[in-house]
Amino acid sequence: MSLLIKVEGLNKRYGNKHALKNVNFEINKGDPVALVGPNGAGKTTLFSILCGYIPYDSGNVSILGESPSIAAVNQTFSALPQDAQLDPKYSIESQLKFYAQLQGFSTKQSVIEAHKVLDMVGLEDNYKVKPLELSHGMRKRAAIAQSLIGSPQLVILDEATAGLDPKHAKDIREIISNLSNEITFVLSSHDLSELERLCDQVLYLENGELKEHQTLTSKDDFNYLTLRMKQHSDSFVKEVSMLPSVQNVSQLQGKEYLISYTQLDNTEPFDITFLKYCHKQNWIYSQLVNGKTLENQLF
Amino acid sequence: MLSHFSSSRVWTITLFELARLFASKRGLIVLAAFSCLWFLIFTYIIGSAAEFITSESFKALAQQAFGKLNLLALLEWELPELSVYWIISAYLLPTFAILFSCDQTCSDRERGTLRFILLRTSRPELLYGRFLGQVLILAILIFITLIASLLFSLLNEQTVSFGSLSLSFSILLKLIIISLPFIAGMTLINVFVKSAKMSLIVYFLIYIGSAIIINLMTRFVMDLSFLFYLFPGEQIESVVGFESNYVNNYIIPLTQTVVYLALAQFIFKRSSL
């Protein structure tokens, strides 16, 4: 596995506020990585340091073995900075072409590259349009397009789908999913279900401190089922608790339940047993998650 | 860090600066205003002043007046239009330099556009690319007005000799050098203000405020007039006589330019975006 990002003992203060406290983590080439945390946790500060936009007080940050500002110049990574906007005076094509030229593309190739990335985000009919003539969602997609110029090894996306309608948010998720074989994405978002779908590794920031979580691959999580029922049943918790292998059943919120169980040797897999039981009881469920949801892991 | 400095990226940024002026609506409006102003200057100042300078009645008076102002050399010029153009430009172009270059990085930084650009280039490359872009824009504008001045002389039924062409090149070079510290001063102010308007306000506040303070200190405390050399344009009065004074012609404006740019780079490299 090749190491893409290495952060050691990172500290950043804004006056009296300790925005990042001794943050340590590594990101290797591979599946998308999520960075989550409540507002003010330090996500954007961390992203800004990774991109070389703001200086840090102490610690080490390296991207592919280089400092962030040098890694940016070497075009080994790209990013979608939160709230950054393209220049309203020029067409998105001319700006992306300019960025491609800065990345070493010739004048002719830069036009092709600009068109390629705009096509990828569904803006093929808007090459000549200026940013202010686009909707908020389209502007966001144009900003995502700039991060894909030149096929970087690593792309950092800060709130990539914030403000997008469900269809275009889905399109962006599909783009990330499709490109994740070639590009390692680091994503921040408040939409945990989105991150859960895309990411394997989760970095959780709270009050400037980092807690690392593994989703799906964590062995503990295979002993949980998260179930969302269509209808509420008063006896659900009591009856499921009676099933063999079940350790505990707890109601999370509304019609959502967390079932912990132990898989007994030489017996039918518990999820099959459970689904048969649901069918027998005529319980209709809307979603079954193998493990805890990211939301339940973090909060 | 120097090994990460790419002149081709600087040149790409410089060329995009040209597009910012010559291919944008705002830039074209500015150019139209610039052209109108110069049309008026040519029609009502250069034309009539050149005619006046060549008249015999003016020459005796001018010998005395221009002598005091160290402008005698200008009376020897073959084309009087060039003399008038040079004097007007030497005093007027710094203002144009300030106005044209007042938004080098500030609005892009405020909007976040710099964050996209700095994912592909280093901060010094961006700073120098934008600075060179402004220099190139001004050089093009000086070149155009200089050509217009020569055409104006032709229209007045004068012949443009090789000597006048060589003199025009010298004027172009001197005007660019006069403008350099003004543009570099704006590069410096741009790294800490948030808008083009604010950069102009800060520029004039620093310029006028410092002049008042230095004058007061010189008058009532001690001679601090040497501090005027910290500010661009101090040497213009000496340069306008077109004498071969290397300190005034080159060393002062170029040193100011280098110092402003070095300060701008120092601050910009450490600033948060």
PDB file of all heavy atoms in Angstrom, chain A residues 218-234:
ATOM      1  N   SER A 218     -14.599  -3.647  10.153  1.00  0.00           N
ATOM      2  CA  SER A 218     -14.360  -3.901  11.568  1.00  0.00           C
ATOM      3  C   SER A 218     -15.105  -5.163  11.982  1.00  0.00           C
ATOM      4  O   SER A 218     -16.293  -5.310  11.744  1.00  0.00           O
ATOM      5  CB  SER A 218     -14.852  -2.711  12.388  1.00  0.00           C
ATOM      6  OG  SER A 218     -14.737  -3.017  13.749  1.00  0.00           O
ATOM      7  N   LYS A 219     -14.377  -6.100  12.642  1.00  0.00           N
ATOM      8  CA  LYS A 219     -14.985  -7.398  12.950  1.00  0.00           C
ATOM      9  C   LYS A 219     -16.159  -7.269  13.903  1.00  0.00           C
ATOM     10  O   LYS A 219     -17.150  -7.964  13.783  1.00  0.00           O
ATOM     11  CB  LYS A 219     -13.925  -8.335  13.539  1.00  0.00           C
ATOM     12  CG  LYS A 219     -13.029  -8.910  12.466  1.00  0.00           C
ATOM     13  CD  LYS A 219     -12.034  -9.866  13.042  1.00  0.00           C
ATOM     14  CE  LYS A 219     -11.166 -10.399  11.900  1.00  0.00           C
ATOM     15  NZ  LYS A 219     -10.071 -11.202  12.399  1.00  0.00           N
ATOM     16  N   ASP A 220     -16.076  -6.321  14.836  1.00  0.00           N
ATOM     17  CA  ASP A 220     -17.147  -6.134  15.804  1.00  0.00           C
ATOM     18  C   ASP A 220     -18.490  -5.895  15.125  1.00  0.00           C
ATOM     19  O   ASP A 220     -19.510  -6.370  15.561  1.00  0.00           O
ATOM     20  CB  ASP A 220     -16.855  -4.917  16.701  1.00  0.00           C
ATOM     21  CG  ASP A 220     -15.778  -5.257  17.710  1.00  0.00           C
ATOM     22  OD1 ASP A 220     -15.457  -6.458  17.820  1.00  0.00           O
ATOM     23  OD2 ASP A 220     -15.271  -4.322  18.352  1.00  0.00           O
ATOM     24  N   ASP A 221     -18.440  -5.168  14.031  1.00  0.00           N
ATOM     25  CA  ASP A 221     -19.682  -4.764  13.387  1.00  0.00           C
ATOM     26  C   ASP A 221     -20.450  -5.920  12.771  1.00  0.00           C
ATOM     27  O   ASP A 221     -21.629  -5.802  12.477  1.00  0.00           O
ATOM     28  CB  ASP A 221     -19.386  -3.719  12.307  1.00  0.00           C
ATOM     29  CG  ASP A 221     -19.064  -2.385  12.950  1.00  0.00           C
ATOM     30  OD1 ASP A 221     -19.399  -2.213  14.142  1.00  0.00           O
ATOM     31  OD2 ASP A 221     -18.468  -1.556  12.290  1.00  0.00           O
ATOM     32  N   PHE A 222     -19.801  -7.028  12.540  1.00  0.00           N
ATOM     33  CA  PHE A 222     -20.526  -8.167  11.953  1.00  0.00           C
ATOM     34  C   PHE A 222     -21.451  -8.821  12.970  1.00  0.00           C
ATOM     35  O   PHE A 222     -22.216  -9.698  12.650  1.00  0.00           O
ATOM     36  CB  PHE A 222     -19.541  -9.177  11.374  1.00  0.00           C
ATOM     37  CG  PHE A 222     -18.952  -8.701  10.081  1.00  0.00           C
ATOM     38  CD1 PHE A 222     -17.669  -8.205  10.015  1.00  0.00           C
ATOM     39  CD2 PHE A 222     -19.712  -8.726   8.925  1.00  0.00           C
ATOM     40  CE1 PHE A 222     -17.142  -7.745   8.830  1.00  0.00           C
ATOM     41  CE2 PHE A 222     -19.187  -8.260   7.726  1.00  0.00           C
ATOM     42  CZ  PHE A 222     -17.901  -7.774   7.683  1.00  0.00           C
ATOM     43  N   ASN A 223     -21.377  -8.411  14.241  1.00  0.00           N
ATOM     44  CA  ASN A 223     -22.275  -8.952  15.251  1.00  0.00           C
ATOM     45  C   ASN A 223     -23.466  -8.048  15.516  1.00  0.00           C
ATOM     46  O   ASN A 223     -24.102  -8.135  16.541  1.00  0.00           O
ATOM     47  CB  ASN A 223     -21.502  -9.205  16.551  1.00  0.00           C
ATOM     48  CG  ASN A 223     -20.517 -10.340  16.370  1.00  0.00           C
ATOM     49  OD1 ASN A 223     -20.805 -11.304  15.652  1.00  0.00           O
ATOM     50  ND2 ASN A 223     -19.348 -10.210  16.961  1.00  0.00           N
ATOM     51  N   TYR A 224     -23.687  -7.151  14.577  1.00  0.00           N
ATOM     52  CA  TYR A 224     -24.829  -6.236  14.718  1.00  0.00           C
ATOM     53  C   TYR A 224     -25.650  -6.238  13.440  1.00  0.00           C
ATOM     54  O   TYR A 224     -25.120  -6.387  12.342  1.00  0.00           O
ATOM     55  CB  TYR A 224     -24.346  -4.803  14.960  1.00  0.00           C
ATOM     56  CG  TYR A 224     -23.729  -4.573  16.315  1.00  0.00           C
ATOM     57  CD1 TYR A 224     -22.341  -4.641  16.467  1.00  0.00           C
ATOM     58  CD2 TYR A 224     -24.514  -4.290  17.426  1.00  0.00           C
ATOM     59  CE1 TYR A 224     -21.756  -4.431  17.702  1.00  0.00           C
ATOM     60  CE2 TYR A 224     -23.932  -4.072  18.666  1.00  0.00           C
ATOM     61  CZ  TYR A 224     -22.552  -4.148  18.799  1.00  0.00           C
ATOM     62  OH  TYR A 224     -21.987  -3.938  20.016  1.00  0.00           O
ATOM     63  N   LEU A 225     -26.925  -6.043  13.615  1.00  0.00           N
ATOM     64  CA  LEU A 225     -27.814  -5.748  12.484  1.00  0.00           C
ATOM     65  C   LEU A 225     -28.553  -4.466  12.839  1.00  0.00           C
ATOM     66  O   LEU A 225     -29.020  -4.315  13.975  1.00  0.00           O
ATOM     67  CB  LEU A 225     -28.839  -6.857  12.267  1.00  0.00           C
ATOM     68  CG  LEU A 225     -28.377  -8.180  11.675  1.00  0.00           C
ATOM     69  CD1 LEU A 225     -29.574  -9.135  11.556  1.00  0.00           C
ATOM     70  CD2 LEU A 225     -27.753  -7.987  10.291  1.00  0.00           C
ATOM     71  N   THR A 226     -28.632  -3.566  11.884  1.00  0.00           N
ATOM     72  CA  THR A 226     -29.444  -2.364  12.106  1.00  0.00           C
ATOM     73  C   THR A 226     -30.664  -2.487  11.205  1.00  0.00           C
ATOM     74  O   THR A 226     -30.531  -2.705   9.990  1.00  0.00           O
ATOM     75  CB  THR A 226     -28.650  -1.087  11.756  1.00  0.00           C
ATOM     76  OG1 THR A 226     -27.429  -1.096  12.504  1.00  0.00           O
ATOM     77  CG2 THR A 226     -29.435   0.167  12.100  1.00  0.00           C
ATOM     78  N   LEU A 227     -31.795  -2.376  11.817  1.00  0.00           N
ATOM     79  CA  LEU A 227     -33.042  -2.654  11.081  1.00  0.00           C
ATOM     80  C   LEU A 227     -33.976  -1.458  11.155  1.00  0.00           C
ATOM     81  O   LEU A 227     -34.172  -0.880  12.230  1.00  0.00           O
ATOM     82  CB  LEU A 227     -33.727  -3.851  11.736  1.00  0.00           C
ATOM     83  CG  LEU A 227     -35.007  -4.346  11.070  1.00  0.00           C
ATOM     84  CD1 LEU A 227     -34.691  -5.180   9.848  1.00  0.00           C
ATOM     85  CD2 LEU A 227     -35.821  -5.165  12.067  1.00  0.00           C
ATOM     86  N   ARG A 228     -34.496  -1.070  10.002  1.00  0.00           N
ATOM     87  CA  ARG A 228     -35.521  -0.024   9.998  1.00  0.00           C
ATOM     88  C   ARG A 228     -36.830  -0.662   9.537  1.00  0.00           C
ATOM     89  O   ARG A 228     -36.904  -1.211   8.432  1.00  0.00           O
ATOM     90  CB  ARG A 228     -35.117   1.113   9.064  1.00  0.00           C
ATOM     91  CG  ARG A 228     -35.992   2.345   9.231  1.00  0.00           C
ATOM     92  CD  ARG A 228     -35.509   3.508   8.419  1.00  0.00           C
ATOM     93  NE  ARG A 228     -34.169   3.908   8.814  1.00  0.00           N
ATOM     94  CZ  ARG A 228     -33.254   4.358   7.971  1.00  0.00           C
ATOM     95  NH1 ARG A 228     -33.543   4.456   6.696  1.00  0.00           N
ATOM     96  NH2 ARG A 228     -32.053   4.693   8.388  1.00  0.00           N
ATOM     97  N   MET A 229     -37.832  -0.618  10.400  1.00  0.00           N
ATOM     98  CA  MET A 229     -39.116  -1.255  10.098  1.00  0.00           C
ATOM     99  C   MET A 229     -40.052  -0.275   9.403  1.00  0.00           C
ATOM    100  O   MET A 229     -39.972   0.925   9.610  1.00  0.00           O
ATOM    101  CB  MET A 229     -39.785  -1.740  11.398  1.00  0.00           C
ATOM    102  CG  MET A 229     -38.965  -2.733  12.200  1.00  0.00           C
ATOM    103  SD  MET A 229     -38.691  -4.263  11.284  1.00  0.00           S
ATOM    104  CE  MET A 229     -40.340  -4.974  11.331  1.00  0.00           C
ATOM    105  N   LYS A 230     -40.955  -0.860   8.611  1.00  0.00           N
ATOM    106  CA  LYS A 230     -41.989  -0.034   7.966  1.00  0.00           C
ATOM    107  C   LYS A 230     -43.044   0.361   8.987  1.00  0.00           C
ATOM    108  O   LYS A 230     -43.558   1.461   8.966  1.00  0.00           O
ATOM    109  CB  LYS A 230     -42.641  -0.809   6.827  1.00  0.00           C
ATOM    110  CG  LYS A 230     -41.859  -0.745   5.538  1.00  0.00           C
ATOM    111  CD  LYS A 230     -42.636   0.046   4.505  1.00  0.00           C
ATOM    112  CE  LYS A 230     -41.866   0.036   3.202  1.00  0.00           C
ATOM    113  NZ  LYS A 230     -42.237   1.153   2.382  1.00  0.00           N
ATOM    114  N   GLN A 231     -43.373  -0.625   9.828  1.00  0.00           N
ATOM    115  CA  GLN A 231     -44.415  -0.374  10.830  1.00  0.00           C
ATOM    116  C   GLN A 231     -43.846  -0.613  12.219  1.00  0.00           C
ATOM    117  O   GLN A 231     -42.900  -1.372  12.386  1.00  0.00           O
ATOM    118  CB  GLN A 231     -45.592  -1.348  10.623  1.00  0.00           C
ATOM    119  CG  GLN A 231     -46.241  -1.217   9.273  1.00  0.00           C
ATOM    120  CD  GLN A 231     -46.778  -2.544   8.768  1.00  0.00           C
ATOM    121  OE1 GLN A 231     -46.330  -3.614   9.196  1.00  0.00           O
ATOM    122  NE2 GLN A 231     -47.724  -2.470   7.867  1.00  0.00           N
ATOM    123  N   HIS A 232     -44.481   0.030  13.158  1.00  0.00           N
ATOM    124  CA  HIS A 232     -44.037  -0.142  14.537  1.00  0.00           C
ATOM    125  C   HIS A 232     -44.782  -1.324  15.153  1.00  0.00           C
ATOM    126  O   HIS A 232     -45.978  -1.507  14.951  1.00  0.00           O
ATOM    127  CB  HIS A 232     -44.317   1.140  15.321  1.00  0.00           C
ATOM    128  CG  HIS A 232     -43.930   1.046  16.757  1.00  0.00           C
ATOM    129  ND1 HIS A 232     -42.623   1.020  17.161  1.00  0.00           N
ATOM    130  CD2 HIS A 232     -44.679   0.936  17.876  1.00  0.00           C
ATOM    131  CE1 HIS A 232     -42.580   0.917  18.466  1.00  0.00           C
ATOM    132  NE2 HIS A 232     -43.819   0.864  18.932  1.00  0.00           N
ATOM    133  N   SER A 233     -44.057  -2.155  15.930  1.00  0.00           N
ATOM    134  CA  SER A 233     -44.705  -3.265  16.632  1.00  0.00           C
ATOM    135  C   SER A 233     -44.280  -3.192  18.103  1.00  0.00           C
ATOM    136  O   SER A 233     -43.076  -3.164  18.393  1.00  0.00           O
ATOM    137  CB  SER A 233     -44.271  -4.595  16.009  1.00  0.00           C
ATOM    138  OG  SER A 233     -44.579  -5.645  16.881  1.00  0.00           O
ATOM    139  N   ASP A 234     -45.259  -3.143  18.990  1.00  0.00           N
ATOM    140  CA  ASP A 234     -44.954  -3.011  20.429  1.00  0.00           C
ATOM    141  C   ASP A 234     -44.135  -4.194  20.940  1.00  0.00           C
ATOM    142  O   ASP A 234     -43.309  -4.052  21.833  1.00  0.00           O
ATOM    143  CB  ASP A 234     -46.251  -2.909  21.246  1.00  0.00           C
ATOM    144  CG  ASP A 234     -46.938  -1.583  20.969  1.00  0.00           C
ATOM    145  OD1 ASP A 234     -46.233  -0.628  20.576  1.00  0.00           O
ATOM    146  OD2 ASP A 234     -48.181  -1.512  21.117  1.00  0.00           O
TER     147      ASP A 234
END
